[in-house]
Amino acid sequence: MMKKFLFIYVGFAISIYLVLPGCKDSITAANVDNRVMPQSNISFNVDLQPVFQLKCSNSGCHDDGTMAGGLSLTSCVNAKSDPGVIVTGSSKTSIIVWAIEGQAGIQPMPPIGVNKPFTSEQDRGLKKWIDEGAKCN
């Protein structure tokens, strides 16, 4: 019985060792920051979620556990849970845009020194997504 367990354990360990190095799905800051946003039809899942994940959620601020300011940016539904943060159809009145741009006396997000700020492309993409109706797509 012990030999069978050991055989299964060793087989599992070897398969993990062989499979994990082949995973190429990690998001890097360079991939996210160098990406050009589409001019229209911004997709939350494709275009914005990687930015939020890298700059907001993974930094330990706006994840499901911490929820700094009561906001989680781990999903579209979470991001839109407070109607003032993302005002569908109006990026000019959306608190998330004010925060990212440091407007209206709001501390710039992400905070200086915690993560790099949004690029101009990311900022434009976020505003376009909101103005297009902030669809969870």
Side-chain angles (χ1 to χ4, degrees):
M1 182 66 149
M2 185 65 167
K3 284 184 181 182
K4 184 177 179 180
F5 175 74
L6 184 60
F7 180 74
I8 291 171
Y9 178 77
V10 169
F12 179 73
I14 290 171
S15 60
I16 293 294
Y17 176 76
L18 294 174
V19 171
L20 285 183
C23 293
K24 303 274 187 203
D25 62 347
S26 60
I27 297 172
T28 67
N31 292 344
V32 173
D33 285 346
N34 293 329
R35 188 170 189 289
V36 176
M37 293 283 177
Q39 293 300 312
S40 62
N41 298 317
I42 304 292
S43 165
F44 181 87
N45 294 324
V46 173
D47 302 312
L48 297 176
Q49 186 58 44
V51 178
F52 287 142
Q53 181 180 351
L54 181 71
K55 298 189 179 216
C56 309
S57 306
N58 286 351
S59 62
C61 296
H62 297 288
D63 57 7
D64 290 336
T66 309
M67 291 183 62
L71 178 64
S72 170
L73 294 172
T74 59
S75 72
C76 183
V77 171
N78 289 348
K80 292 174 61 174
S81 64
D82 180 337
V85 172
I86 295 173
V87 180
T88 303
S90 179
S91 62
K92 291 181 181 184
T93 59
S94 294
I95 294 171
I96 195 166
V97 172
W98 298 349
I100 289 167
E101 295 180 346
Q103 296 180 25
I106 297 174
Q107 176 187 359
M109 292 290 157
I112 296 167
V114 173
N115 216 329
K116 287 184 180 179
F118 276 47
T119 66
S120 59
E121 275 294 298
Q122 293 163 349
D123 186 41
R124 183 187 61 76
L126 175 62
K127 289 182 203 174
K128 185 70 172 174
W129 174 72
I130 293 170
D131 292 337
E132 290 179 333
K135 298 179 189 109
C136 290
N137 56 357

